[in-house]
Amino acid sequence: MFLKEYIKDVVGGVTSLLKGMRKTGYYFFHPKEIITEQYPDNRATLKLAERFRGEVVMAHDANNEHACTGCTACELACPNGTIKIITKFDMTPEGKKKKAIDTFIYHLELCTMCNLCVEACPTGAISMAQNFEHSVYDRNKLTKKLNKPGSKVREGVE
Amino acid sequence: MNSVPLAHILFVSTALFCIGMYGLFTRRNIITMLMSIELMLNSVNINFVAFNKYLWPEKLDGIFFTLFIITIAAAEAAVAIAIIINLYRSHNSIDVEDATELKY
Amino acid sequence: MEASAIIFYCIAAFILGAGILAVTTRKIFRSAIWLLFSLVGIAALYFWLQVEFIAAVQIIVYVGGIVVLIIFSIFLTQQSGKEMAKPSGKHVLFSLLAVLFGLALIYNLISEYGFAEQASRPFQVAVGEIGMQMLSTTQHGFILPFEAVSMLLLAAMVGCIVIAMKNKSGNLEAAEPPAGKLMIHSDFTSSTTEKEA
Amino acid sequence: MYTQTDVIKDTTADGPEGELVINMGPQHPATHGVLHLVITLDGETIKKIEPHLGYIHRSIEKMTESLTYRQFTYVTSRMDYLSAHINNLACAMTVEKAMQIEVPERAKVIRVLMNELTRIASHELWIGAMAMDLGAFTPFFYAFRERELITDIMEETCGARLTMNYMVPGGVMYDIHPSFQQKVKEFVTQFKHKVTEYEDLVTNNVIFQSRTKGVGFLSKEDAISYGCSGPVARASGVSCDIRKLYPYEVYDKVQFDEVLDTAGDSFARYMVRVREMNQSIRIIEQLIDSIPEGEFQAKTKAVLKPPKGEFYTRVETARGELGVYLVSEGGTTPYRIKYRSPGFSNLSALDHMARGSKIGDLMATMGTLDLVIPDIDR
Amino acid sequence: MFSLEGITGTVQNWLLNTFNPQVALLIECAIVILLAISLFAVLGLVLVLMERKVAAHIQIRLGPNRVGPGGMFQTVADTVKLIMKEGLTPDLADKFLFNLAPFVVMIVAMLLLAPIAFAKNFQIWDINIGVLYVSAVSSLSVIGILMAGWASNNKYSLLGAMRSGAQIVSYELSAGLAILSIVVLTGSLQISDIIASQQDGWWLFKGHIPVIIAFVIFLIAVTAETNRAPFDLAEAESELTAGFHTEYSGMKFALFFLAEYINIFIVCAIGATLFLGGWMPLHIGNWEGFNHVMDYIPSSVWFFGKTFFLIFLIMWFRWTFPRLRVDQLLNLEWKYLLPISLFNLLLVTLIAILGWHF
C-alpha cells in the first residue's frame, strides 16, 4: 500500500538519522574520548618508537671515536645520493698509509629514511635516530657533516 | 501622515507607469519587457493603495484589489517565463523579433 | 516639511531612479537587480503608507518569487555578461516623446482634478479584518474573486507544467530523473530492473 | 590517449547548446590530489568526463632503471602510498622469483600480516575520505582514530608510518617488534568494537544510502572490458582477488572469503570494502598467534643480479591488482620495469560510470573508485 | 538584574526629557543601529567559536585552544586575518554587483533582527505582521546569493547560486507552513501576541503531536534555508569548491560567512519564539509555585538559552549527516515535507477550531 510504504520510508529514514545523531552526541558529551595530542606541549612525554627513522647519525664514543672505515658501502646503497664520503689517507704509527674518512656528508633534504644505508654498513657505524624536528630556515643547514671534528676510527674496526 | 498630498503619490505612480511603458517600447528582449510590465502593474498597485488610504479609509477595497493584482501578476510572470524558456529552447533566442512565425 | 514627507520623497526618488535604471541599463542581470530595488522601494512605500500586510506580500511575491524567477530565466537563457543591443536612436526618441506626452497629460489631469481630501480619519489595516472580509459571503465580501483567483493560479500552474513538459517528452536526455531513482542510461536501467526482478 | 592538441585546447570554453564545461581540478577538494577532470555538463547532468593526467608524474618506472634491485623497492612506496607495504612486496616478490630465493616461513607470515593491516588502514582512510566527499565530516576522524593504531603498529615494527620500506628481497627488513602481537590483538578488539559506529553513521544512514545506491553503475562486462580490478570489479561480480586466484605467500593456508557483490553501484563498492576489512581481520586473527619461529630474512648476496629474462608477479593491493613486470639483462639494475597499477584502469571506467548522473553522483562514484593519484600517474 | 526589562524605558524617558522628540528619535535610531552592529559582531564571534568547538568535540578533537583561554579569541584572530587579506575581484566579474552582493546578504540579516523579542519588553519593532515580515525579508537573502553567483563570472559560483535559489525558494514553503500552524493556534502574526499566548505553556507542549511535527519540519526547512549541511549544496565544497562564494576573499567573504551565522541565529530565535515561547519562562498550567520559581530566571536568559539550544541542534545536524544530492533535496521538499506539513496544518487548524490544545 502506498501510504504504508510512505510512512515506513519516513520513519525508517528518521530512525537512521537519529541513530547517527546518537553516536555523534555520545562523543560530544564524552570529552574523555578526545584523542587530540597537544604536540609541542607534550614534547616531554612524547614517546617515539625505538625503530622510528628520523635521521642518520654516526655514533661517537667518549674518546671521540666512531666505527666508520670509509668503505662507501652506504654511499652505494643509497638510492638518492644522500651520502657522500670523502676519504683521506692517514699515517698509522707504523708508517703505513691507511684509508680513513675525512668527511661524512649527509644531505638530510634528500634522505627518505629508507634505512638501506644502515643495513649496508658492515661496521654498524651509522644508525637511525628518533629526532624528527628537522625544519630550519636555511636549506644549507640540512647538509650535515656526521663525523665530529677531530674524530677518528675506533681501534680494531676493519 | 497625510503630510504628503495625494497628487504627489499619484505622480510617483504615473511616472513609474511611464517608465515601464518606455521600457516596453524600447526593449526587444522578452525578459526585460516582462520586467517593464511588472513595473507598470506595480504603479497601478500604488494607486489603489493610495486612493484607499486617502479617499475611503473606512474601506479595504483598494487593499483587496492590490492583493489580487499581485497574485495575478505572479501567475502571469510564471506563465510568461515558462513560455520564454520554451521559446529559447526552440529558437535559441529570446528576442521578440526572432519569434515572428506563429508556431513554437 | 515633516520627517515623514522627507522619507516619502526619498522613497519616491529611489523607486523612480531604480525604475529608470531597470529599463535603460544594457546588462540584463543588472536590469533585474534594479527592478528588484524598485520593487523593494515600493514595498517601503507601502510600509510608509502603513499597509504592512501589502508590503510583506509585495516582498514575498515579487522579490521572493517573481524576481527570482526572472533571474532564473536569465541564468537559463542568457550568455554570461553579454550586453543587450542598443535600441536605435529613432526608437528611443519616439518612445521618449510618447511617454513624456502621456506623463504630461496624466499629470495635468491629476493636478486639475482636486481630490476631496478626507484627512484625520484613521486608516487601520488589521490583518484579521482582511482575512475576514476575504472569505465573507456578504455584500462586501471577496469570496468570489478569491475563488476566481485560486482557479486562475491553478490554471497557471497546470499551464506552466504543460508548457514545460511539452518540449521534454521528445528529448529524453533533458528529462528530469524520475522521483527517488536516478536514471543513468539505458544499460543501467535495464540491469537494475533485472536485479530487482 | 590524447593528442597534443587535445591537451592544450582551451578547457574553459563552453560547448554549444547551453553545455557547461567545468574544470574539476587539478586543485579541487574532491579529487584528492592533482587529478584534472574536464566535465561537460548539461545543467547539473554530466555528459562527458575527460580525465587529464600527468600532474604528478614522477617517472618512477624510468627511475627504477637506474636503481639496484635492493633500492628500487623503496620507490614504489610512493606510488600507491596508502598500501606501501603491498607495493614493496610486489617488487620484492618479483626479485625473489627472478633469483629463486626461498623466503623463510616466518617472513611470509609477517608479510601477510602487514599486508592485511595495510589493507585495513587503506580502507579506513578511504571510508573517511568517501564520507567526507559526500559531506559527512565526522566519520573521517573516527576512521582515522582506528587507522592511527595501525600506523602506530607500523611505526613500532617498521620504523615509519606511511612509507615503511619494510619488505626487502628475501624477507623483511627487521624482525617484528616484541609487542607486535599484543598490539595487533588490541587493535582487532577495538576495531570490532568500533566498526558499528560506521554502520550507524555511514552505512545505515538514509542519506548516504540514497546518495550511493544505484549511482555510478558498472556492469560485469564493462568492469572486465575496462580492466577494472579490486573492489571496483568485485562489486560488479567479477571474481578477481589475486589472493584467491593466484595465492602468494601464505594466502593459500588461511581461511578467508573473496568478497563479491553483483549490484555494481557505489553502495556495492562501499559494502565490498567494508566486508573486505572484516575478512582482513579474519586473516589477521588466524595468523597472529601462529607466527612460526625462524629467520625473518633469507640469506642473500650483497649485490643482487637476477638472470636474464622477463618476470611478472601480481599482488592484490587495497585498490586492486598490481602487476610488476621486470625485464632483466643480468646486470645489477633492471633493464625495464612496468607497473600495472589498479588505479589507472579503474579511473578509465569513470567516464562510463558517471555519464548521465549529477555532479553530486560523481563524488560518490569517484569516492568509491578510491583513487590515489600517484598510483595513476606514477 | 540580568533582565533587560526596564533599561529601555529608562533610556527613552531620559532622552525625551533631555532632547526634543525628533532628536530623541534620531538618537534612539543611532543607538539601535549601534547595538545591532555590536550584536552582530558578538554573535559572529560566539557562533563561529561555538561551531568549531561543537564540531571538534563531536569529532573527538579539542578544537581551537591556542589563542586565549580555551581558544576564546580564535575568531578574533581569524577576523583580523580576514580583514588584512586582499579583497580580490575577478577581472571579468560584474564589479558593481560583485561588491554589492555581500552587503545585500548582510543588510537582509540586519533587517531580520528588527521584530525579534530578545527579552521581556525588549524588542526593536513590534510590527503587527511580525512573522510574515520575517518570512518576507528572509526571502530577500536569496537575491544576494544569486547576485554573487552571477557576478563572479565563475561556473562553480553560477551552479551554486542556481542550486541555492531553487533550494531556498522551495523550502520557504514548508517553513512558512510550519510558521502558519503556530499563527493558526495564536490567531495573530504579531510576535508579542505569540509570546503572550504561551503564558501557560509553550506551544511545543501545548499543541500535541501536530505542533511537534511542525517544529521538526521548521527545523529541517530553516536548516535548508540557511544553506547549512546536510543542505549546503550551494557551497558543497567537495562538488563546487565553495559554491557561490568561490571568488570572494577577505572582508567580502567574511560578510557572507558572518551573514550565514546571523541567519542561523535569527531563524533559531524565530523557532524559539514560535515553538518554545521566546523569552517566556517555562510555565506549566496552574502550578503557581513552579511558575514562580521559573520567573526568577531572567527572560533574556530564557531567550538566549532556547535559541542557542536550537543552534546547537542545527550544528549537530551539520556534523553528523552527509550532504543530499540536488534532486533528492527537492524530492525531500516536494514529496515529504510539503505534503506532511500541509496535512499537519489541517490537523493544527482542527485543533485550533475545536480548542483541543491546552
Side-chain angles (χ1 to χ4, degrees):
Chain A
M1 212 177 121
F2 169 72
L3 201 66
K4 206 174 145 191
E5 289 264 304
Y6 184 85
I7 292 171
K8 226 170 92 182
D9 253 26
V10 172
V11 173
V14 171
T15 331
S16 80
L17 296 181
L18 286 181
K19 260 190 192 162
M21 281 180 70
R22 199 183 65 185
K23 194 83 313 186
T24 45
Y26 169 81
Y27 281 111
F28 181 79
F29 291 110
H30 289 75
K32 270 190 189 151
E33 302 266 359
I34 286 176
I35 50 167
T36 309
E37 291 199 17
Q38 305 258 42
Y39 158 59
D41 297 345
N42 68 354
R43 264 212 198 95
T45 55
L46 202 63
K47 260 197 200 148
L48 282 170
E50 67 239 46
R51 287 182 190 174
F52 177 76
R53 304 198 287 263
E55 64 173 331
V56 176
V57 291
M58 185 183 281
H60 287 69
D61 61 12
N63 304 330
N64 203 11
E65 287 175 340
H66 55 75
C68 182
T69 56
C71 68
T72 68
C74 50
E75 191 179 337
L76 289 172
C78 182
N80 304 321
T82 305
I83 295 168
K84 180 88 186 118
I85 292 173
I86 299 168
T87 50
K88 61 180 179 188
F89 286 97
D90 272 353
M91 282 299 203
T92 53
E94 294 95 63
K96 275 195 281 183
K97 269 188 181 173
K98 195 187 169 203
K99 198 172 153 195
I101 58 165
D102 179 47
T103 326
F104 189 108
I105 298 170
Y106 170 55
H107 293 274
L108 181 58
E109 75 270 29
L110 295 178
C111 184
T112 59
M113 324 296 169
C114 66
N115 207 31
L116 288 177
C117 52
V118 178
E119 288 280 296
C121 184
T123 57
I126 48 175
S127 59
M128 282 285 178
Q130 271 81 46
N131 177 27
F132 61 95
E133 291 162 320
H134 295 308
S135 61
V136 284
Y137 285 103
D138 184 3
R139 204 169 56 171
N140 291 332
K141 286 183 185 150
L142 290 173
T143 306
K144 295 182 177 179
K145 190 180 156 190
L146 290 193
N147 55 331
K148 287 183 184 162
S151 63
K152 58 179 194 291
V153 68
R154 200 174 297 140
E155 284 299 315
V157 176
E158 285 302 324
Chain B
M1 193 49 81
N2 286 2
S3 53
V4 177
L6 178 58
H8 288 197
I9 301 178
L10 295 183
F11 176 75
V12 170
S13 78
T14 312
L16 197 63
F17 188 87
C18 291
I19 289 169
M21 213 157 70
Y22 173 80
L24 200 61
F25 286 160
T26 50
R27 297 285 195 181
R28 280 289 153 263
N29 182 314
I30 301 186
I31 294 178
T32 43
M33 286 170 83
L34 183 71
M35 290 183 205
S36 307
I37 293 175
E38 296 299 337
L39 277 181
M40 288 157 77
L41 283 170
N42 267 285
S43 75
V44 174
N45 286 351
I46 296 175
N47 267 14
F48 271 117
V49 173
F51 279 132
N52 193 340
K53 182 182 162 81
Y54 278 79
L55 302 181
W56 288 279
E58 68 278 0
K59 284 186 182 172
L60 288 175
D61 295 28
I63 303 285
F64 280 105
F65 268 93
T66 312
L67 278 178
F68 289 134
I69 290 170
I70 289 176
T71 322
I72 292 166
E76 169 243 329
V79 176
I81 279 164
I83 293 170
I84 288 171
I85 292 191
N86 225 3
L87 192 76
Y88 180 73
R89 279 191 190 145
S90 58
H91 287 73
N92 208 10
S93 151
I94 48 168
D95 201 305
V96 272
E97 320 232 304
D98 290 349
T100 44
E101 76 265 41
L102 281 173
K103 62 173 197 172
Y104 74 93
Chain C
M1 203 188 272
E2 279 183 46
S4 76
I6 296 172
I7 293 172
F8 168 77
Y9 292 118
C10 289
I11 292 172
F14 181 72
I15 293 171
L16 296 181
I20 289 171
L21 282 168
V23 297
T24 51
T25 179
R26 281 169 57 210
K27 285 180 179 154
I28 187 159
F29 191 83
R30 279 200 188 182
S31 169
I33 295 299
W34 288 122
L35 172 73
L36 169 98
F37 284 151
S38 188
L39 296 175
V40 170
I42 290 167
L45 188 64
Y46 290 146
F47 272 116
W48 181 83
L49 286 164
Q50 289 171 319
V51 280
E52 289 91 354
F53 185 71
I54 299 288
V57 170
Q58 165 94 5
I59 293 178
I60 289 181
V61 175
Y62 273 106
V63 177
I66 293 175
V67 172
V68 172
L69 220 74
I70 288 175
I71 289 176
F72 256 79
S73 64
I74 291 173
F75 280 2
L76 290 174
T77 57
Q78 227 50 31
Q79 298 297 317
S80 165
K82 210 165 78 180
E83 285 200 354
M84 287 184 287
K86 211 173 180 176
S88 67
K90 206 170 69 181
H91 215 105
V92 172
L93 183 72
F94 283 109
S95 307
L96 213 58
L97 280 178
V99 164
L100 285 178
F101 275 116
L103 183 64
L105 178 69
I106 298 171
Y107 183 67
N108 198 29
L109 282 177
I110 292 170
S111 49
E112 290 294 303
Y113 184 77
F115 292 100
E117 294 261 345
Q118 307 201 341
S120 75
R121 251 192 293 172
F123 178 63
Q124 288 294 327
V125 188
V127 182
E129 204 183 320
I130 293 178
M132 286 297 200
Q133 217 170 327
M134 182 79 92
L135 294 177
S136 83
T137 48
T138 56
Q139 200 194 350
H140 295 291
F142 281 85
I143 185 80
L144 189 66
F146 179 75
E147 286 302 321
V149 165
S150 327
M151 290 305 292
L152 176 92
L153 278 180
L154 186 68
M157 206 166 86
V158 174
C160 284
I161 293 170
V162 168
I163 290 172
M165 290 260 284
K166 201 161 50 178
N167 208 16
K168 279 181 177 175
S169 57
N171 185 1
L172 237 169
E173 274 191 337
E176 286 295 309
K181 281 193 187 113
L182 191 92
M183 233 166 62
I184 304 241
H185 39 79
S186 52
D187 65 355
F188 165 63
T189 34
S190 62
S191 40
T192 38
T193 41
E194 272 165 30
K195 196 184 77 197
E196 280 160 10
Chain D
M1 196 184 280
Y2 297 99
T3 61
Q4 183 90 40
T5 45
D6 269 341
V7 176
I8 57 170
K9 78 177 176 203
D10 183 12
T11 52
T12 54
D14 286 344
E17 274 299 308
E19 278 177 5
L20 210 60
V21 177
I22 60 171
N23 286 280
M24 195 167 273
Q27 301 291 327
H28 191 277
T31 50
H32 301 297
V34 284
L35 181 62
H36 180 190
L37 301 174
V38 179
I39 304 174
T40 311
L41 291 174
D42 177 24
E44 286 253 340
T45 314
I46 294 166
K47 297 192 92 174
K48 196 171 81 181
I49 296 178
E50 278 181 60
H52 285 200
L53 305 180
Y55 288 92
I56 195 164
H57 184 80
R58 293 159 301 176
S59 58
I60 285 179
E61 282 174 11
K62 191 74 192 163
M63 251 164 86
T64 43
E65 289 172 19
S66 62
L67 294 175
T68 67
Y69 287 98
R70 277 192 196 286
Q71 287 170 349
F72 90 97
T73 36
Y74 102 101
V75 192
T76 56
S77 304
R78 275 82 186 162
M79 261 162 46
D80 180 354
Y81 48 83
L82 294 181
S83 51
H85 262 317
I86 311 182
N87 295 350
N88 290 350
L89 174 65
C91 298
M93 274 167 62
T94 318
V95 177
E96 283 154 17
K97 193 175 174 181
M99 300 190 57
Q100 286 157 351
I101 299 169
E102 191 55 44
V103 179
E105 201 63 16
R106 183 179 175 83
K108 282 184 176 175
V109 173
I110 294 171
R111 281 175 168 190
V112 168
L113 277 171
M114 286 298 182
N115 270 4
E116 294 313 310
L117 283 174
T118 311
R119 197 181 311 280
I120 295 172
S122 170
H123 285 351
E124 289 269 13
L125 189 138
W126 160 81
I127 211 173
M130 155 107 192
M132 201 133 117
D133 278 353
L134 295 183
F137 293 88
T138 307
F140 187 76
F141 291 89
Y142 297 171
F144 258 67
R145 178 187 50 196
E146 268 82 73
R147 188 173 182 272
E148 196 64 18
L149 292 176
I150 297 179
T151 44
D152 278 349
I153 293 169
M154 295 292 179
E155 188 181 7
E156 212 159 51
T157 294
C158 319
R161 298 167 79 84
L162 197 66
T163 50
M164 296 78 145
N165 194 31
Y166 185 56
M167 311 286 177
V168 292
V172 291
M173 196 177 254
Y174 322 103
D175 201 0
I176 51 171
H177 195 267
S179 68
F180 176 75
Q181 279 156 306
Q182 180 221 336
K183 285 225 165 169
V184 170
K185 279 180 206 158
E186 274 171 19
F187 162 73
V188 168
T189 331
Q190 176 171 351
F191 180 82
K192 281 182 168 170
H193 174 64
K194 297 285 188 189
V195 84
T196 55
E197 273 173 16
Y198 308 137
E199 274 167 20
D200 280 351
L201 271 177
V202 186
T203 317
N204 292 334
N205 189 303
V206 65
I207 301 175
F208 179 80
Q209 288 198 359
S210 56
R211 280 298 297 275
T212 49
K213 274 188 180 163
V215 166
F217 176 74
L218 186 69
S219 69
K220 189 173 178 178
E221 292 72 34
D222 288 333
I224 292 170
S225 58
Y226 278 107
C228 295
S229 57
V232 177
R234 287 201 284 280
S236 301
V238 183
S239 169
C240 62
D241 196 333
I242 308 295
R243 294 176 293 172
K244 272 277 179 211
L245 299 177
Y246 307 97
Y248 50 93
E249 305 298 355
V250 291
Y251 279 117
D252 47 351
K253 291 177 194 147
V254 288
Q255 303 283 316
F256 70 101
D257 300 326
E258 179 176 5
V259 184
L260 281 177
D261 206 320
T262 49
D265 57 2
S266 292
F267 191 69
R269 291 192 280 277
Y270 171 84
M271 283 314 288
V272 164
R273 287 209 175 84
V274 171
R275 280 154 61 202
E276 233 173 51
M277 287 204 273
N278 293 331
Q279 292 300 327
S280 294
I281 288 285
R282 205 172 137 196
I283 295 173
I284 290 170
E285 278 181 330
Q286 286 172 44
L287 290 178
I288 191 65
D289 281 326
S290 54
I291 302 177
E293 294 297 319
E295 287 292 307
F296 59 86
Q297 199 175 347
K299 289 273 178 289
T300 48
K301 283 181 193 149
V303 180
L304 299 173
K305 275 189 185 171
K308 195 172 171 173
E310 296 174 11
F311 308 95
Y312 185 71
T313 28
R314 45 184 169 183
V315 294
E316 180 77 14
T317 74
R319 258 147 286 278
E321 176 187 335
L322 173 73
V324 178
Y325 177 65
L326 164 72
V327 181
S328 166
E329 293 276 83
T332 53
T333 58
Y335 176 72
R336 171 85 168 96
I337 281 198
K338 163 91 181 98
Y339 301 107
R340 183 256 181 240
S341 72
F344 186 77
S345 319
N346 290 352
L347 175 71
S348 65
L350 179 66
D351 177 45
H352 177 74
M353 287 152 86
R355 249 180 218 208
S357 52
K358 300 256 183 291
I359 305 179
D361 293 336
L362 177 64
M363 300 309 132
T365 314
M366 242 162 60
T368 47
L369 280 182
D370 194 8
L371 301 174
V372 170
I373 313 303
D375 183 35
I376 297 165
D377 269 354
R378 294 192 293 285
Chain E
M1 163 184 178
F2 292 103
S3 175
L4 299 165
E5 181 188 358
I7 297 174
T8 48
T10 323
V11 171
Q12 193 185 11
N13 283 336
W14 181 77
L15 280 173
L16 283 176
N17 290 336
T18 325
F19 305 100
N20 64 354
Q22 301 258 339
V23 180
L25 187 72
L26 275 181
I27 292 174
E28 273 172 26
C29 280
I31 291 174
V32 165
I33 290 170
L34 212 69
L35 280 179
I37 289 172
S38 46
L39 180 72
F40 266 39
V42 172
L43 273 180
L45 296 184
V46 170
L47 287 178
V48 173
L49 184 69
M50 178 178 165
E51 171 102 286
R52 297 179 68 166
K53 279 286 185 191
V54 168
H57 279 259
I58 280 176
Q59 295 169 344
I60 46 177
R61 299 185 283 123
L62 278 174
N65 60 355
R66 291 294 144 126
V67 190
M72 263 169 68
F73 301 122
Q74 182 65 49
T75 30
V76 179
D78 285 349
T79 317
V80 170
K81 183 203 81 173
L82 282 171
I83 292 171
M84 306 278 261
K85 268 178 112 168
E86 185 185 0
L88 287 168
T89 308
D91 206 21
L92 291 173
D94 189 336
K95 294 192 178 55
F96 170 65
L97 294 180
F98 183 83
N99 293 319
L100 186 66
F103 293 99
V104 168
V105 174
M106 203 62 205
I107 287 168
V108 167
M110 228 164 187
L111 285 175
L112 279 171
L113 219 54
I116 289 170
F118 292 97
K120 204 172 181 180
N121 298 335
F122 192 84
Q123 195 174 3
I124 298 173
W125 189 20
D126 191 13
I127 185 174
N128 63 353
I129 49 156
V131 288
L132 193 63
Y133 173 87
V134 170
S135 49
V137 175
S138 67
S139 67
L140 271 171
S141 68
V142 64
I143 298 292
I145 291 173
L146 290 174
M147 233 172 172
W150 173 269
S152 298
N153 192 27
N154 178 320
K155 287 165 196 165
Y156 287 118
S157 303
L158 191 64
L159 281 172
M162 282 179 83
R163 281 178 173 194
S164 156
Q167 178 183 334
I168 293 179
V169 167
S170 46
Y171 274 80
E172 217 147 69
L173 293 173
S174 44
L177 286 173
I179 291 174
L180 260 188
S181 55
I182 296 300
V183 172
V184 164
L185 286 169
T186 320
S188 170
L189 292 166
Q190 202 161 351
I191 298 267
S192 56
D193 284 357
I194 289 171
I195 294 173
S197 72
Q198 308 185 53
Q199 175 76 46
D200 52 348
W202 304 343
W203 279 120
L204 191 63
F205 305 131
K206 285 203 298 184
H208 306 289
I209 293 169
V211 174
I212 294 174
I213 294 174
F215 179 62
V216 172
I217 288 173
F218 178 81
L219 267 186
I220 295 172
V222 297
T223 313
E225 260 195 80
T226 46
N227 282 331
R228 296 274 301 176
F231 307 103
D232 61 342
L233 287 148
E235 48 199 279
E237 101 288 322
S238 62
E239 295 159 31
L240 304 178
T241 52
F244 64 90
H245 57 60
T246 304
E247 294 286 355
Y248 283 88
S249 59
M251 213 47 222
K252 277 176 268 178
F253 167 74
L255 284 180
F256 273 119
F257 197 64
L258 187 60
E260 182 188 330
Y261 284 97
I262 302 296
N263 275 330
I264 294 166
F265 175 80
I266 284 159
V267 294
C268 288
I270 295 294
T273 308
L274 293 177
F275 295 95
L276 302 175
W279 51 259
M280 194 63 81
L282 178 61
H283 285 170
I284 299 177
N286 296 321
W287 298 12
E288 290 300 332
F290 179 78
N291 293 351
H292 206 64
V293 171
M294 284 296 158
D295 281 339
Y296 273 108
I297 302 174
S299 57
S300 52
V301 172
W302 277 107
F303 172 77
F304 281 102
K306 289 166 190 174
T307 308
F308 274 85
F309 170 70
L310 291 186
I311 292 171
F312 172 70
L313 270 186
I314 285 183
M315 286 179 179
W316 194 357
F317 292 155
R318 170 166 184 179
W319 298 108
T320 306
F321 301 137
R323 184 181 300 121
L324 279 98
R325 197 171 60 216
V326 67
D327 57 324
Q328 287 164 356
L329 180 92
L330 298 178
N331 265 344
L332 175 70
E333 163 68 14
W334 297 104
K335 267 180 76 186
Y336 295 95
L337 291 187
L338 194 64
I340 291 175
S341 52
L342 273 174
F343 183 68
N344 195 47
L345 184 62
L346 217 63
L347 286 181
V348 172
T349 318
L350 215 64
I351 288 175
I353 291 171
L354 298 176
W356 279 352
H357 57 84
F358 296 115

